[in-house]
């Protein structure tokens, strides 16, 4: 409670400080704009009046000079009087003393004033008083963390019956990081977070967006998730396959070499779910199929085979056929296409009291693909609870993610 209260105070103070700074900036910009408008109107309106004033002053000054010259001519000496009167008469004929420039009427002269609507303060006041809320209980909470190899399956649930969610938003961060980052936005209530380092704590939180709303709800209580399972990896260095940097994606390249690409180690344990997902590869969606193409699990790596359709292995071909120890079953799954997901689930069923000492050993296998599944028992001659996984493709373009 104290930690969330402290965080909430920090968020509120930061938000309102940002608002104050933004409002001050906007008000300063508006003030500067209005002052510029006043300056522009003043300069535009005063110019013709200034020009009119200059013309009037010039005319008055000229008439005053002419009047003095006439007075001088009248009161001057008799010898110079005729000459001055001739000069005065000539100037008087060329100066129009009976006209003035047109002066704008009073109604055409601008008179500036500021029009300020006091209701803005009322609107801002009402909006500010309604801005922001403090929620004590978020409408969604994290529910469960399921360990996966190199990942964590995160599940969450709605805890507010009156809240109708439209989307969920999941974030996480490593325990040493300072900021959360988005990892999922959508309508599902669970998500597999991949690229998780084993034995490292990660913090998760989730929020939701109500139906028809734009804003997100408050965050759930952050919780710690961790996986102890090492990530699944393909074996590097096999000609014919290119791997991603984390070695969890294999791409069948255009090499003529054929063979089975196995996992680096037997990292698939009974009781877990192993998932293969066909992902897009450039322009091609999937490669050309071949009857030997397959995805599956096996007891051990066996070189020299070009397919998993062999002894001590179970697999699904790209056309949906299921093979157990090299024999095709009657039940069939949908063909593997772009975006297809194939999952393997296994549980141990032991036969006889000495099954751990070399007797018959049985695994119950469930293979699912495109909302269909097949279930069968896989009988082995030895105890085996950790398995390798593998794939084989004859033609380039196939790209498989394993988790």
């Amino acid at each position: 409670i104290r930690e969330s209260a402290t965080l909430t105070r920090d968020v509120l103070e930061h938000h309102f400080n940002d608002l104050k700074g933004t409002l001050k900036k906007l008000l300063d910009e508006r003030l500067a704009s209005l002052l510029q408008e006043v300056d522009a109107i003043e300069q535009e309106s005063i110019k013709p009046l200034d020009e009119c004033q200059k013309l009037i002053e010039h005319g008055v000054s000229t008439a005053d000079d002419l009047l003095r010259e006439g007075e001088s001519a009248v009161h001057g000496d008799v010898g110079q009087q005729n000459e001055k009167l001739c000069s005065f008469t000539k100037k008087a004929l060329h100066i129009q003393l009976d006209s003035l420039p047109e002066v704008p009427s009073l109604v055409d002269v601008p008179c500036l004033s500021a029009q300020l609507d006091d209701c803005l303060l009322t609107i801002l006041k009402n909006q500010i008083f309604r801005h922001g809320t403090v929620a004590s209980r978020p409408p969604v909470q994290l529910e469960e963390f399921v360990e996966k190899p190199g990942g964590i399956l995160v599940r969450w649930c709605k805890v507010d019956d009156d809240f109708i969610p439209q989307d969920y938003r999941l974030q996480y961060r490593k325990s040493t990081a300072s900021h959360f980052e988005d990892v999922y936005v959508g309508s599902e209530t669970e998500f597999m977070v991949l690229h998780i380092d084993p034995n490292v704590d990660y913090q998760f939180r989730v929020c939701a967006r109500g139906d028809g709303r734009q804003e997100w709800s408050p965050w759930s209580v952050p919780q710690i998730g961790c996986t102890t399972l090492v990530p699944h990896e393909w074996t590097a260095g096999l000609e014919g396959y290119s791997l991603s940097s984390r070695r969890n994606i294999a791409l069948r390249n255009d090499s003529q070499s054929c063979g089975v690409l196995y996992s680096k180690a037997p990292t698939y344990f009974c009781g877990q779910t192993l998932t293969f997902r066909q992902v897009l590869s450039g322009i091609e969606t999937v490669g050309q199929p071949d009857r030997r193409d397959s995805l599956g699990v096996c007891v051990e790596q066996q070189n020299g085979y070009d397919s998993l359709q062999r002894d001590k292995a179970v697999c699904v071909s790209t056309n949906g056929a299921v093979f157990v120890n090299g024999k095709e079953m009657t039940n069939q799954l949908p063909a593997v296409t772009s975006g297809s997901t194939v999952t393997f689930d296994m549980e141990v069923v032991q036969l006889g009291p000495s099954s751990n000492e070399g007797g018959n050993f049985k695994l119950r296998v469930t293979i699912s693909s495109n909302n269909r599944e097949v279930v069968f028992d896989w009988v082995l001659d030895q105890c085996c609870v950790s398995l390798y996984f593998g794939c084989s493709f004859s033609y380039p373009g196939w790209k498989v993610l394993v988790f």
Side-chain angles (χ1 to χ4, degrees), residues 10 25 30 49 73 89 164 166 201 229 236 245 247 252 264 280 302 304 308 323 346 361 363 373:
D10 292 341
K25 180 181 178 182
R30 181 56 179 164
L49 294 177
T89 304
I164 302 176
Q166 174 180 304
D201 287 341
L229 306 176
S245 59
R247 296 184 291 278
R252 181 65 168 93
K264 182 179 179 181
L280 295 178
Q302 292 185 9
L308 278 174
F323 291 85
M346 298 189 185
F361 187 76
L363 296 175
E373 66 178 30

Side-chain angles (χ1 to χ4, degrees), residues 297-352:
V297 297
C298 56
V299 175
E300 57 191 6
Q301 297 179 348
Q302 292 185 9
N303 298 323
Y305 288 90
D306 60 1
S307 175
L308 278 174
Q309 300 167 16
R310 61 168 176 80
D311 188 35
K312 295 185 179 181
V314 295
C315 64
V316 179
S317 68
T318 52
N319 63 6
V322 179
F323 291 85
V324 181
N325 291 330
K327 296 180 181 179
E328 184 175 355
M329 296 182 61
T330 56
N331 294 336
Q332 188 164 334
L333 292 169
V336 178
T337 58
S338 174
S340 292
T341 299
V342 180
T343 62
F344 287 75
D345 291 277
M346 298 189 185
E347 59 178 334
V348 177
V349 181
Q350 296 179 342
L351 297 179

Side-chain angles (χ1 to χ4, degrees), residues 55-56 58-60 62-63 66 90-101:
L55 287 174
I56 294 173
H58 178 71
V60 171
T62 302
L66 185 61
K90 190 180 295 185
K91 289 181 180 180
L93 292 174
H94 289 87
I95 297 176
Q96 295 180 351
L97 300 176
D98 58 347
S99 64
L100 290 173

Side-chain angles (χ1 to χ4, degrees), residues 2 37 56 92 108 124-125 146 232 250 305 347-348 372 379 393:
R2 288 174 177 164
E37 189 174 346
I56 294 173
D108 294 331
L124 286 175
K125 182 178 179 181
V146 181
H232 292 318
Y305 288 90
E347 59 178 334
V348 177
R372 291 181 58 185
V379 179
F393 299 103

